[in-house]
Every structure is written in structure tokens, then in C-alpha cells.
Amino acid sequence: MALLDYYDSLAKAISDTLFEIADLQVTVSTPISQTSELVSSGTVVIVGLAGAFTGRFIFDFPSDTGEQLFCILNDKEEISQDLLFDTLAELANMLCCDVITYINNRNKGFNLTLTPPSVFSGTPLRLINPKLPAEIITVTTPLSQITVSVAFEEGAP
Amino acid sequence: MIEAKLISPFLDAISLALATSGFKTIAKGRVQLKEKLLPTRDFSFLLSLSGAMRGSVAYSMDLSVALNVASIITRGPVSVLDEHALLAISEFASTVSAKATALLQQAGNNVYITPPTLILGRDVIARISHVRIIAVEINTDAGLIEIIIAIEI
């Protein structure tokens, strides 16, 4: 995992973006090794990563946090699942774009690209990448905690 | 023709992987257009694409079918999706991904496919694309598997 130094740019993207668009002050934990599968009871957004490294970011939004973010970002109180999914997908996509732009600008030849975000909800939802080492970052917000799981391996540049 | 171009690599990839794993029955079933917000089955593995084609493909099945798939792949009874069974299905999903990549590249599409993510849950709702979604059913020895394809060209 040390080969792709994503943490600083991801932590900055999360802090800056959530403050700018939602007026939320957040703290971002340092990454720890993910030792078990990710279990969500809310909504998850999966954004794939390809290029010199291949893998994925998973953002896990607890149900109430996802809904509150939706209300803040769309200035609406009535929640539609379609728009909720779109909102969280766009937020995750913005954060991942910041990260790969930062990394690509500092590492010529990495040519990292993102896949379109996929969004899932279920009760509960288990997400597993058995052979891909992953790290977990916890984002503490005034709403609740958002979990980000980052996993990648060397790919084809 | 666009549908065939989209469907074939992903249908052929899993058909080849199933045949290699010892499946005898692999028959294409219904092809349907789906809404962008769609319920999926209990177990899916998701492949995401970037490069010349962007999008996502989910191979989705009921839990009982996933157990049957694991049983056939591991050549032994599997009654629960434990670590061993999930590892076996993950290897199978990686094989499908590798075959799909090869087929797409043979057709001149410079495409990268990310490692598969396994997704298990009840009452799962997914939104894997803004674009048109095509679902193809395949009937196998293990039961019905649905391939949900959402690709931007």
C-alpha cells in the first residue's frame, strides 16, 4: 500500500470538500489495515481505479448521514432514493477525482483513471475483495462517521 | 448491434469460465432493458471498466445459486458462503474479469477492468449507471445468473 501515497490527498479532499459544499468540519483518521469485510447498513458508493494501480474506493454512508448530506447538498427535505444515490455518487466521484489528479500530477506515467461510481444499499450489505489488501479511513463528521475503504494493487500502466 | 457488442464479451466471458469450471448447462435466456435504479439479487460480483469503454457490469444471483456455483467450482458441498467459498467465487470472478478484458481487447477496445468486488445483502438496490442498462439471464447447472450491463461507449 505504501507505493501509492493516497492518504494526504484523500484526507485533504474530504476535509476541504465537505467544508466547502456542506459547511461541515470533519476529522479524518489515519488509515488502518482492514482485517475483515466491510459491512454497511446504509448506502455505499464504489469507485474503481485503473492505470498503474488498480483497485477501488468504497465510501460507506450510514443511512441517516447519507440522508442528511442529501438534504444539505440539495437544500431539500423530501428524500428521493434516486437523487440520494446520485448525490452520494457525485460526492464520492468528486473526492476520488481530487485524489487521482493530485497523484497523477506528481507521478508521471501512473495514468490513473476512475470508473463511474456504482451505488448499492441493502440490509445489511457485505462488501468483499478477498485478495486485495485494504485500508480503512474513518471520517468523523457532526452528523456521524463515514467509512472509506481503499484497496489497490499494481496494475497495467 | 450495439446490444450485441455490449453483451457478447460479458456473456462469453462467464460462459467460458463456467465451462472451464465444469458446468454443462449454459444457456442464454431473456434480454431486458432495466431502469437505472434496480433491485439486484442477494449476491453479485461487480466489475468496473475504464478506458475505451466506461461503466459497470454486475453478475447477480440468488444466494442458493451462489452456493451451487461455489459447490461446483470447489467440487464439494457448500452450504454457507464462508471465507473458503468466497475465495473460490472471487477466483471465479477474477477469471471472468480476465476473459472479458481479453475479449474486449481482441475486439480493439483498450479497456481496463478493476478487480471484482463481491456484494452480499438482502433487499439490495443498485444504481450502476446513468446510461441504459441491459440485463441478460443465463441458465446454468447452478441456477439463474443475471448479467447487468451498463456501459458508456
Side-chain angles (χ1 to χ4, degrees):
Chain A
M1 296 290 280
L3 291 171
L4 185 61
D5 188 8
Y6 68 89
Y7 171 73
D8 287 345
S9 53
L10 179 59
K12 184 175 186 326
I14 291 169
S15 300
D16 290 355
T17 302
L18 287 178
F19 182 70
E20 284 167 17
I21 67 174
D23 202 22
L24 293 176
Q25 300 263 16
V26 305
T27 56
V28 183
S29 75
T30 51
I32 57 169
S33 180
Q34 183 180 330
T35 54
S36 60
E37 64 195 40
L38 186 68
V39 180
S40 169
S41 292
T43 303
V44 298
V45 184
I46 304 171
V47 183
L49 175 73
F53 292 87
T54 180
R56 89 293 181 271
F57 298 86
I58 299 176
F59 295 80
D60 176 20
F61 299 91
S63 297
D64 54 347
T65 306
E67 290 175 2
Q68 288 176 67
L69 272 172
F70 168 87
C71 293
I72 294 169
L73 296 176
N74 294 285
D75 198 19
K76 286 184 178 175
E77 291 186 2
E78 195 171 325
I79 293 163
S80 109
Q81 190 166 38
D82 197 9
L83 276 178
L84 171 69
F85 278 19
D86 283 350
T87 301
L88 298 181
E90 186 51 35
L91 176 59
N93 195 48
M94 283 170 62
L95 298 174
C96 292
C97 279
D98 278 2
V99 174
I100 67 154
T101 300
Y102 180 90
I103 294 172
N104 281 336
N105 286 342
R106 281 154 186 79
N107 299 277
K108 298 298 177 201
F110 272 22
N111 300 322
L112 297 177
T113 59
L114 297 174
T115 68
S118 297
V119 188
F120 291 85
S121 71
T123 51
L125 205 59
R126 298 167 57 197
L127 294 107
I128 305 154
N129 296 93
K131 295 184 76 177
L132 206 55
E135 290 182 337
I136 289 280
I137 292 168
T138 302
V139 182
T140 303
T141 81
L143 309 176
S144 71
Q145 290 189 327
I146 300 166
T147 303
V148 187
S149 168
V150 185
F152 54 83
E153 60 190 4
E154 285 194 58
Chain B
M1 290 306 290
I2 289 175
E3 279 81 355
K5 186 180 172 185
L6 288 177
I7 293 169
S8 293
F10 302 102
L11 179 62
D12 292 349
I14 192 167
S15 298
L16 289 166
L18 289 168
T20 304
S21 299
F23 283 66
K24 302 282 189 292
T25 304
I26 307 160
K28 182 179 165 187
R30 285 190 306 172
V31 179
Q32 297 173 281
L33 290 177
K34 296 273 189 175
E35 298 294 322
K36 71 174 188 175
L37 205 63
L38 75 161
T40 63
R41 297 168 194 273
D42 301 336
F43 177 85
S44 301
F45 59 87
L46 178 75
L47 310 179
S48 300
L49 287 75
S50 76
M53 298 166 86
R54 300 181 77 247
S56 301
V57 177
Y59 292 84
S60 188
M61 61 200 86
D62 290 339
L63 183 60
S64 59
V65 177
L67 292 170
N68 291 341
V69 169
S71 298
I72 294 172
I73 292 170
T74 59
R75 303 185 197 289
V78 174
S79 58
V80 62
L81 282 183
D82 58 11
E83 193 175 340
H84 177 66
L86 288 170
L87 197 57
I89 294 184
S90 174
E91 293 283 357
F92 175 77
S94 295
T95 303
V96 174
S97 173
K99 289 186 186 301
T101 304
L103 290 167
L104 287 165
Q105 291 186 342
Q106 282 167 20
N109 300 299
N110 197 17
V111 171
Y112 301 105
I113 301 182
T114 61
T117 298
L118 312 186
I119 301 163
L120 290 96
R122 301 279 306 276
D123 306 319
V124 178
I125 302 288
R127 199 227 67 179
I128 64 170
S129 178
H130 278 297
V131 299
R132 186 173 50 167
I133 295 171
I134 302 169
V136 187
E137 292 177 354
I138 52 171
N139 295 297
T140 76
D141 306 8
L144 190 143
I145 299 173
E146 188 174 39
I147 312 173
I148 301 164
I149 302 164
I151 303 290
E152 304 165 19
I153 297 181

